[in-house]
């Protein structure tokens, strides 16, 4: 990594990076010339409010008094968080002044983690309870590193927070040298600044990208003048074949990873001198390491700087990779300069960014854009189940609607039911997610499968099939697929005869762009969400004498006839619950959230709860502020065998915590569980579960199909 950086910053003066060597033979006049050029470029760079180099003060940045205090170096140039100054607080939070940047901007951070620790960048919107994590790093280094983070255009004020956690012990620290906030996109660069906008060279022993231009170059060189300034004082990136020793020697220049979705026109200038042979291509590279070529030149050589414009769509984080391969030491050079981006596509024939959410459906208000074959009667039908202790309800709320395939709706003893989705454009990678339940099947062959059909209703591929029963639990499925032509998905259920048929249920279909492994979903939840799949999300036990404990578990609970059979998120994932057999009647357990900031507007808390069992006690949601606790929401007694959705509106202007309190009932069949907790800006748009069920109403166990 260090050698990569040295290759990329060749011929430039250092600023704060001690490991970038100055050329020993450089004359004083030459050095001053370079320094003056660097200062000129810096003067031309528009720095926005929130930028700071910590030369003499903190530029309005302050340490959050609730945590340990950051320290500005006595000689300036950086601010640090050191483990040696830990008190009772185990982290440092640096808060920016209030910012109002209406246009897209880029935060460029020069930082270093010494020893062991981590640092995160959060965005704190005005009027919201929680912060959005934009970037995180936890790898130590012996020199400073560059991070680039895109900030989308915002309609309101916000603050940036730097959260540092150096590990306890001597020599562990986190330092910030520079925070630059500039207008535009992080992938844009004219290579005039010392940090090269966070672009990095992937080190190769023989061919690498170097900084070209400046007065330091060899006068015999045939390399061009810079494009930005149109003279020899400016800088650009170049790669030369002179040291190539093997066939297909490759040099790669990699942009910062985009940190938010973006689509538009990528522009850059290049020159290409091809004496024998070189290959120049531009790729995108995703977080999974997949490359996709987006451009290659249509000419062999250029004597002047040539403009390239190519449309890109980046719904998920991507890097731009500028790759040059040489056949021999006489393969010439490739030079690159002035990379820019516009949110408008550069080619009118480029299709606008596509929103696949038209294929989403929770079946609460109909079939959305899904439809089925009508021959022989409708196999798939919309049904709802009232709260009961025998049959689970829908996945969306526990009391809503879902699709059910069953022979009683057809005119034949068996059936083939095809549910088709809307047509989606080709050449897009889609992530399809849905939930299903099987009930009463002896065999699962052909019970439920997912096909991709073309526009002529011809099946192209089976992309998923059920492999085992779901054990009366809503089970999540996610499938990634890509086809060159427009396609639609079809959920196909086949039942050969009446005696083999059971119930097939389907709910909450969603489609997003990109691979499921990187798309936002159960394993990549957005800020404010906690599904307990990877941990406890910072929730802690509020322990006192004679109190029970919340437990994180997957699968069914140990005691029969109480508790869920699986979680709400995946069906096979984790949730939090109290084990009643470990507690005494009326004993309680309290699970406390991380600290919430409070805001002037209403807040919305959403979560799913499970209260099944003849001895079920009480579930309360409490607001903890100062030394007081107030009740926001409560349910008592057996509610349903389903996961039920709760939505709670509340207001709090100061720092506070939310507590989930479960109180054990009068028997061991009193397990209570929670899952999929969401905090968001209020008010809640849905009335939620305004009706509570005691377990003794006349229609408690009524099932409606």
């Amino acid at each position: 990594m260090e050698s990569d950086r040295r290759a990329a910053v060749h011929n430039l003066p250092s600023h704060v990076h001690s490991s970038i060597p100055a050329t020993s033979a450089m004359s004083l006049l030459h050095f001053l010339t370079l320094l003056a050029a660097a200062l000129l470029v810096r003067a031309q760079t528009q720095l926005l409010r929130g930028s700071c180099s910590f030369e003499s003060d903190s530029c309005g940045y302050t340490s959050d008094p609730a945590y340990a205090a950051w320290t500005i170096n006595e000689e300036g140039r950086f601010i640090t968080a050191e483990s040696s100054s830990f008190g009772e607080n185990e982290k440092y939070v640096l808060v920016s002044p209030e910012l109002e940047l209406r246009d897209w901007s880029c935060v460029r951070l020069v930082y270093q983690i010494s020893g062991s620790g981590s640092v995160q960048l959060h965005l704190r919107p005005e009027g919201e309870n929680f912060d959005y994590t934009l970037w995180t790093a936890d790898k130590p280094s012996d020199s400073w590193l560059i991070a680039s983070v895109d900030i989308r255009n915002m309609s309101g004020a916000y603050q940036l927070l730097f959260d540092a956690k150096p590990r306890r012990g001597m020599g562990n620290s986190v330092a910030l040298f520079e925070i630059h906030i500039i207008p535009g996109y992080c992938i844009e660069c004219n290579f005039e600044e010392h940090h090269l906008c966070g672009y990095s060279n992937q080190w190769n022993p023989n061919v690498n990208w170097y900084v070209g231009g400046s007065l330091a170059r060899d006068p015999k060189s045939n390399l061009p003048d810079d494009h930005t300034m149109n003279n020899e004082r400016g800088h650009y990136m170049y790669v030369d074949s002179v040291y190539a020793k093997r066939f297909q020697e490759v040099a790669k220049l990699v942009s910062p990873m985009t940190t938010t979705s973006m689509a538009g026109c990528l522009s850059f200038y290049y020159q290409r001198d091809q004496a024998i042979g070189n290959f120049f291509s531009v790729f995108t590279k995703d977080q999974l390491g997949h490359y996709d070529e987006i451009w290659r030149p249509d000419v062999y050589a250029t004597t002047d700087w040539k403009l390239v414009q190519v449309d890109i769509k980046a719904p998920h984080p991507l890097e731009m990779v500028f790759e040059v391969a040489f056949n021999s030491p006489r393969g010439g050079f490739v030079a690159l300069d002035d990379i820019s981006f516009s949110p408008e596509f550069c080619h009118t024939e480029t299709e606008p960014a596509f929103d696949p959410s038209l294929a989403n459906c929770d079946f609460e208000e109909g079939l959305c854009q899904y439809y089925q074959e009508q021959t022989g009667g409708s196999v798939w039908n919309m049904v709802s189940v009232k709260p009961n202790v025998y049959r689970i309800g829908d996945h969306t709320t526990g009391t809503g609607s879902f699709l059910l395939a069953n022979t009683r709706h057809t005119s034949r003893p068996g059936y083939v039911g095809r549910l088709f989705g809307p047509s989606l454009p080709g050449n897009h990678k889609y992530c399809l997610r849905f939930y299903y339940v099987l009930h009463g099947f002896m065999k699962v062959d052909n019970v439920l499968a997912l096909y991709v059909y073309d526009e002529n209703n011809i099946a192209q591929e089976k992309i998923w099939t059920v492999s085992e029963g779901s054990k009366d639990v809503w089970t999540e499925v996610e499938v990634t697929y890509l086809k060159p032509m427009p396609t639609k998905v079809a959920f196909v259920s086949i039942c050969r005869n009446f005696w083999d048929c059971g119930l097939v249920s389907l709910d909450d279909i969603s489609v997003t762009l990109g691979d499921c492994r990187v798309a936002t979903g159960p394993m990549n939840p957005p800020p404010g969400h906690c599904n307990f799949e990877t941990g406890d999300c910072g929730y802690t036990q509020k322990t006192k004498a004679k109190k029970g404990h919340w437990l994180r578990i997957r699968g069914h609970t140990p005691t029969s006839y109480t508790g869920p059979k699986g979680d709400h998120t995946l069906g096979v994932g984790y949730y939090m619950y109290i084990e009643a057999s470990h507690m005494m009647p009326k004993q309680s357990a309290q699970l406390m959230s991380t600290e919430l900031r409070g805001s002037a507007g209403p807040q919305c808390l959403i979560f799913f709860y499970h209260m099944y069992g003849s001895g079920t006690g009480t579930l309360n949601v409490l607001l903890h502020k100062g030394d007081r606790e107030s009740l926001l929401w409560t349910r008592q007694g057996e509610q349903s065998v389903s996961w039920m959705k709760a939505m709670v509106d509340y207001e709090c202007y100061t720092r506070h915590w939310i507590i989930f309190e479960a109180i054990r009932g009068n028997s061991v069949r009193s397990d209570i569980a929670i899952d999929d907790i969401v905090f968001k800006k209020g008010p809640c748009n849905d009335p939620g579960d305004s009706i509570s069920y005691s377990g003794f109403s006349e229609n408690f166990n009524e099932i409606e199909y």
Side-chain angles (χ1 to χ4, degrees), residues 61-357:
Y61 281 82
T62 57
S63 293
D64 188 323
Y67 306 101
W70 289 75
T71 305
I72 295 182
N73 181 42
E74 292 181 359
E75 299 178 0
R77 295 186 179 272
F78 65 89
I79 189 169
T80 185
E82 295 188 79
S83 60
S84 58
S85 60
F86 265 154
E88 295 181 358
N89 302 302
E90 296 188 350
K91 70 175 181 178
Y92 301 72
V93 177
L94 188 68
V95 184
S96 78
E98 189 173 272
L99 307 176
E100 290 193 42
L101 305 179
R102 304 292 179 174
D103 298 319
W104 197 296
S105 56
C106 173
V107 177
R108 193 153 286 134
L109 176 68
V110 182
Y111 73 98
Q112 182 179 357
I113 300 174
S114 299
S116 180
S118 66
V119 60
Q120 291 183 322
L121 172 61
H122 307 278
L123 186 141
R124 174 174 288 178
E126 186 178 46
E128 295 199 25
N129 254 333
F130 56 89
D131 305 321
Y132 293 80
T133 301
L134 301 177
W135 167 84
T136 185
D138 57 8
K139 294 182 180 179
S141 67
D142 57 3
S143 60
W144 57 261
L145 300 173
I146 301 289
S148 301
V149 182
D150 284 297
I151 306 291
R152 300 182 69 92
N153 40 328
M154 307 267 301
S155 58
Y158 64 92
Q159 292 175 295
L160 297 177
L161 281 73
F162 294 89
D163 182 344
K165 297 177 182 177
R167 190 171 181 178
R168 286 187 177 275
M170 294 299 295
N172 297 326
S173 66
V174 175
L176 305 181
F177 294 91
E178 254 183 20
I179 302 169
H180 278 189
I181 305 178
I182 58 175
Y185 300 79
C186 288
I187 60 173
E188 297 181 312
C189 195
N190 58 18
F191 304 108
E192 301 299 341
E193 294 206 54
H194 63 275
H195 48 55
L196 306 179
C197 317
Y199 276 76
S200 61
N201 168 71
Q202 287 196 1
W203 179 256
N204 181 308
N206 300 318
V207 292
N208 291 280
W209 286 90
Y210 291 92
V211 176
S214 85
L215 300 178
R217 70 181 184 182
D218 185 347
K220 298 180 181 180
S221 170
N222 63 342
L223 291 170
D225 285 343
D226 161 71
H227 177 267
T228 312
M229 300 182 178
N230 197 27
N231 60 39
E232 58 187 12
R233 293 182 183 275
H235 301 90
Y236 54 87
M237 300 301 294
Y238 78 95
V239 56
D240 200 323
S241 64
V242 65
Y243 297 114
K245 295 181 179 179
R246 298 190 305 272
F247 181 72
Q248 289 289 292
E249 292 266 24
V250 176
K252 295 181 179 181
L253 182 69
V254 183
S255 77
M257 179 80 75
T258 62
T259 55
T260 186
S261 60
M262 51 196 291
C265 179
L266 175 71
S267 303
F268 60 90
Y269 288 85
Y270 80 98
Q271 280 199 41
R272 188 176 179 216
D273 169 47
Q274 183 166 321
I276 296 295
N278 62 62
F279 301 93
F280 182 28
S281 300
V282 181
F283 298 85
T284 59
K285 178 186 176 185
D286 66 18
Q287 292 171 299
L288 302 174
H290 296 156
Y291 285 81
D292 184 18
E293 186 179 63
I294 60 173
W295 175 86
R296 64 172 57 188
D298 54 3
V299 294
Y300 287 102
T302 59
T303 55
D304 297 310
W305 287 102
K306 182 176 177 62
L307 172 65
V308 173
Q309 293 185 312
V310 57
D311 289 324
I312 62 171
K313 298 175 183 177
H316 303 295
L318 292 174
E319 294 172 329
M320 307 299 156
V321 181
F322 297 85
E323 180 179 291
V324 177
F326 294 106
N327 288 332
S328 73
R330 292 181 292 172
F333 71 85
V334 173
L336 176 69
D337 203 4
D338 291 340
I339 301 170
S340 61
F341 182 82
S342 167
E344 303 294 330
F345 287 124
C346 30
H347 304 293
T348 55
E349 65 271 18
T350 300
E351 295 181 1
F354 173 69
D355 182 5
S357 64

Side-chain angles (χ1 to χ4, degrees), residues 19-52:
S19 65
I20 301 177
T23 306
S24 59
M26 185 183 295
S27 67
L28 177 59
L29 177 60
H30 185 206
F31 174 77
L32 292 175
T33 303
L34 285 176
L35 182 59
L39 292 174
L40 176 62
V41 169
R42 172 161 296 186
Q44 293 173 342
T45 301
Q46 181 187 359
L47 295 182
L48 302 176
R49 176 174 168 81
S51 299
C52 193

Side-chain angles (χ1 to χ4, degrees), residues 127 129 599-604 649-653 680-684:
N129 254 333
S599 64
Q603 300 298 318
C604 177
D649 282 302
Y650 75 96
E651 293 189 12
C652 187
Y653 307 106
K680 68 177 186 177
K681 193 173 182 178
C684 299

Side-chain angles (χ1 to χ4, degrees), residues 313-577:
K313 298 175 183 177
H316 303 295
L318 292 174
E319 294 172 329
M320 307 299 156
V321 181
F322 297 85
E323 180 179 291
V324 177
F326 294 106
N327 288 332
S328 73
R330 292 181 292 172
F333 71 85
V334 173
L336 176 69
D337 203 4
D338 291 340
I339 301 170
S340 61
F341 182 82
S342 167
E344 303 294 330
F345 287 124
C346 30
H347 304 293
T348 55
E349 65 271 18
T350 300
E351 295 181 1
F354 173 69
D355 182 5
S357 64
L358 64 89
N360 294 358
C361 194
D362 60 11
F363 305 106
E364 295 304 313
E365 297 181 0
L367 297 181
C368 309
Q369 296 196 41
Y370 288 80
Y371 63 95
Q372 62 181 316
E373 297 171 322
Q374 295 300 321
T375 56
S378 297
V379 174
W380 293 96
N381 288 269
M382 224 171 75
V383 300
S384 63
V385 176
K386 291 184 178 180
N388 69 96
V389 297
Y390 302 119
R391 187 72 49 76
I392 62 173
D394 81 319
H395 179 264
T396 313
T397 65
T399 60
S401 301
F402 58 96
L403 286 189
L404 180 72
N406 184 267
T407 54
R408 64 179 291 180
H409 299 299
T410 68
S411 58
R412 299 187 300 271
Y415 64 81
V416 177
R418 294 183 180 89
L419 179 73
F420 291 98
S423 179
L424 301 177
N427 291 318
H428 288 78
K429 185 177 287 186
Y430 294 108
C431 172
L432 171 68
R433 294 186 173 99
F434 63 93
Y435 290 82
Y436 77 96
V437 178
L438 304 182
H439 178 79
F441 284 95
M442 299 298 293
K443 300 178 181 179
V444 295
D445 296 341
N446 299 314
V447 166
L448 184 62
L450 186 63
Y451 289 81
V452 174
Y453 279 67
D454 65 16
E455 289 186 304
N456 297 318
N457 279 342
I458 298 176
Q460 296 294 313
E461 182 185 3
K462 179 194 285 189
I463 57 176
W464 175 85
T465 186
V466 65
S467 58
E468 59 181 355
S470 59
K471 302 174 183 177
D472 285 341
V473 175
W474 284 108
T475 303
E476 193 240 18
V477 174
E478 56 182 32
V479 182
T480 301
Y481 70 95
L482 170 66
K483 293 296 178 184
M485 76 291 284
T487 58
K488 54 188 175 183
V489 297
F491 294 88
V492 180
S493 180
I494 301 175
C495 177
R496 299 301 180 188
N497 61 73
F498 179 85
W499 303 108
D500 290 339
C501 294
L503 304 177
V504 183
S505 302
L506 190 64
D507 203 3
D508 290 345
I509 303 171
S510 65
V511 180
T512 54
L513 290 172
D515 194 294
C516 289
R517 289 173 289 179
V518 297
T520 297
M523 300 310 293
N524 297 286
H529 292 231
C530 182
N531 54 28
F532 303 109
E533 296 306 324
T534 57
D536 58 15
C537 309
Y539 283 78
T540 55
Q541 307 279 346
K542 190 181 179 190
T543 55
K544 292 182 180 178
K546 298 182 180 180
K547 280 191 177 293
H549 293 275
W550 286 88
L551 305 172
R552 179 172 170 264
I553 191 178
R554 69 192 305 178
H556 59 79
T557 62
T559 308
S560 59
Y561 300 106
T562 188
K565 295 182 179 179
D567 76 319
H568 181 264
T569 314
L570 303 173
V572 293
Y574 290 89
Y575 57 93
M576 300 294 289
Y577 91 110

